[in-house]
Amino acid sequence: MKRFKHVARFLGIIAVLACLVCVGCAGPKPKAGEVFPCAADSSIEKTIAPEAELADFSCVVKNWEGMEVLHFNVAVKNVSDQPQRYRVNIFLDNGKAVGGLIPQSTKKGLVEPGQTASFVYPVSGMDRAPKSIVLMVKTMSQ
């Protein structure tokens, strides 16, 4: 009898977790190729270096490695008087994170004062916008 109670509890926990996963994925799926806000402004925590200005932060669902996945469009404007290279980190509420450097390579130089550079970051396994985001843009000198 005790064994049956343990199995029933275990199956109940599995059922509750499955429901939570389904509810978390129940948001509307954006149309592929259509640019949309990544999250409500109140759900985005931004930490931007004083040498940078966020020129674009939007999302789009498009094909990547044979699947329709979420992509973050990030554009950063250099508002300092020195050429810069930026590190971008995007942390999502589900534990996923993406990021990289703008510009990715320094072969063509850094982002000059007054210029804007951008990059698109795909997030594998996601086809909807997250509920909350932490966005960090730092200079490589920080």
Side-chain angles (χ1 to χ4, degrees), residues 8-26:
R9 255 190 221 149
F10 178 74
L11 291 175
I13 290 171
I14 295 295
V16 168
L17 290 176
C19 290
L20 288 174
V21 167
C22 290
V23 169
C25 298

Side-chain angles (χ1 to χ4, degrees), residues 15-98:
V16 168
L17 290 176
C19 290
L20 288 174
V21 167
C22 290
V23 169
C25 298
K29 184 176 178 181
K31 293 180 183 176
E34 190 174 294
V35 177
F36 59 93
C38 297
D41 283 339
S42 61
S43 299
I44 301 175
E45 180 184 327
K46 297 176 187 173
T47 305
I48 311 293
E51 300 86 1
E53 178 182 296
L54 194 61
D56 180 32
F57 186 63
S58 59
C59 287
V60 65
V61 173
K62 59 185 181 179
N63 195 311
W64 184 68
E65 294 186 351
M67 296 176 58
E68 295 291 318
V69 299
L70 180 70
H71 288 70
F72 287 101
N73 301 319
V74 180
V76 179
K77 181 177 181 179
N78 183 353
V79 294
S80 73
D81 58 357
Q82 299 290 319
Q84 299 287 341
R85 189 174 194 197
Y86 301 100
R87 172 166 299 284
V88 176
N89 295 102
I90 304 168
F91 301 99
L92 310 179
D93 60 344
N94 62 1
K96 290 185 180 259
V98 294

Side-chain angles (χ1 to χ4, degrees), residues 100-135:
L101 300 172
I102 296 179
Q104 256 191 317
S105 169
T106 58
K107 289 180 184 176
K108 296 182 183 177
L110 302 175
V111 182
E112 293 297 323
Q115 296 297 308
T116 301
S118 63
F119 195 76
V120 178
Y121 301 99
V123 185
S124 65
M126 284 189 69
D127 62 356
R128 291 171 175 78
K131 291 182 177 118
S132 65
I133 299 169
V134 175
L135 171 66

